[in-house]
Amino acid sequence: MVQPHGVRRRVHVGELQPGDHACLLFESDEERASILRDFVLGGLDAQDKILYLSGEDDPPGPGALLDECRLDGTLTALDGRVEVVRLAEFRSGHGQLEAAALLRRLRGAARRSREEGYRALRVAGEPCAALHGGHGLPDVPRLLRYEALLAEEFSSGETLAVCQYDIRRCDPAALDAFESAHARSVEADPLVRTAELVVARTYRPQGLRIEGVVDAGSHRRLRDALGSVAAVRGQVCLEMSGVEFLDLGGLRLLMTFARARAARHRTVQLSGLPRHLLQVITVVGWDRTPGLRLGAVHAC
């Protein structure tokens, strides 16, 4: 799948390891919350300490992280495992972020996490919240210097970080520059991951990416994954260029999903269909299914 803005390598957030310095480009609060939630829950499972760089409008304490992740429950699970640092603490009298002071704080937090017996320190935050130039736009040169310092700091393998950038607040040239400062870009962990099938949530466009084999043994998993995007208001895009096999039962699930969306005046697009699957859909007459749109065919 071709990714926007030329990301070097896209990985699931659950695949991140100590020493990784990755970026998250998000276009909606839902996308950001989904990936941040995976990042936090993965850290709790891996016995990592979590440091969250909060913005000015976030509530104080671990509640800020719960709010951003949209995690239900109490603060008990995060007790002692999370440190929340306001980026505003590191602004100079002129309103500029003092990157050196922030890095000293991160270095100290990493040292304490090791002393407390944690595997690593996980850091998440949105640097744009603290580094703005004129007219509220990101201060690109200062951000790049900040990211270079972070990359050097994290290369020791004791810390991993996800730097978040809001696509709605950055122009394409700035996004290219920010991505070039990271070896990886993250996406949400798959909804389905078996030896033969991977189904991942996508946000640009809204929908699912389906890869591998869909047979009778995976129908329930595919049905559940489709249910996760049933409430999407706009068009749902199912990216299928990575599908190796899809049986008739799987095709029926897709047609049923399309009809259900049509009943709510919504559509689903099948994008990247292998040519033989398009032929099956056309011969059976499913290309006329209400709510169904057929996108570009995968050249294979």
Side-chain angles (χ1 to χ4, degrees), residues 150-266:
L150 284 183
E152 182 178 354
E153 182 68 24
F154 297 157
S155 63
S156 65
E158 298 171 343
T159 307
L160 62 153
V162 172
C163 301
Q164 306 162 42
Y165 289 97
D166 191 337
I167 290 176
R168 298 165 295 187
R169 300 170 63 182
C170 303
D171 61 43
L175 289 173
D176 285 338
F178 300 150
E179 286 184 329
S180 70
H182 301 82
R184 292 182 168 189
S185 180
V186 296
E187 65 180 5
D189 287 336
L191 300 170
V192 177
R193 177 157 46 189
T194 69
E196 294 189 325
L197 178 65
V198 173
V199 182
R201 180 75 160 87
T202 61
Y203 294 91
R204 288 170 273 132
Q206 291 264 15
L208 301 172
R209 186 174 66 253
I210 305 171
E211 300 174 348
V213 174
V214 177
D215 56 19
S218 56
H219 288 170
R220 179 181 58 80
R221 293 185 177 92
L222 178 58
R223 185 185 300 110
D224 291 345
L226 291 170
S228 72
V229 293
V232 171
R233 293 184 178 181
Q235 177 172 269
V236 166
C237 179
L238 303 182
E239 209 293 316
M240 304 182 65
S241 61
V243 172
E244 300 170 15
F245 174 79
L246 178 64
D247 68 1
L248 284 175
L251 278 172
R252 289 191 185 97
L253 284 175
L254 300 184
M255 300 307 119
T256 299
F257 181 65
R259 292 189 191 97
R261 290 193 62 76
R264 303 175 67 181
H265 307 288
R266 298 170 183 172

Side-chain angles (χ1 to χ4, degrees), residues 241 273-276 297-300:
S241 61
L273 269 174
R275 192 172 299 279
H276 69 279
V297 175
H298 178 56
C300 56

Side-chain angles (χ1 to χ4, degrees), residues 15-76:
E15 297 170 347
L16 293 173
Q17 295 295 322
D20 283 336
H21 174 217
C23 67
L24 163 62
L25 305 183
F26 66 93
E27 197 173 30
S28 69
D29 294 339
E30 179 189 8
E31 180 179 9
R32 181 191 185 196
S34 172
I35 295 177
L36 189 57
R37 180 168 56 247
D38 288 344
F39 185 73
V40 170
L41 294 178
L44 296 176
D45 289 342
Q47 298 300 308
D48 291 343
K49 186 75 174 284
I50 300 168
L51 189 148
Y52 177 60
L53 301 174
S54 67
E56 292 181 349
D57 298 329
D58 290 328
L65 190 57
L66 285 175
D67 185 60
E68 290 292 347
C69 296
R70 300 180 183 177
L71 282 170
D72 296 326
T74 68
L75 298 176
T76 304

Side-chain angles (χ1 to χ4, degrees), residues 123-167:
V123 181
E126 187 181 354
C128 281
L131 284 171
H132 288 296
H135 307 292
L137 298 174
D139 185 340
V140 175
R142 188 174 288 271
L143 269 169
L144 290 178
R145 290 195 295 272
Y146 164 80
E147 293 288 11
L149 289 171
L150 284 183
E152 182 178 354
E153 182 68 24
F154 297 157
S155 63
S156 65
E158 298 171 343
T159 307
L160 62 153
V162 172
C163 301
Q164 306 162 42
Y165 289 97
D166 191 337
I167 290 176

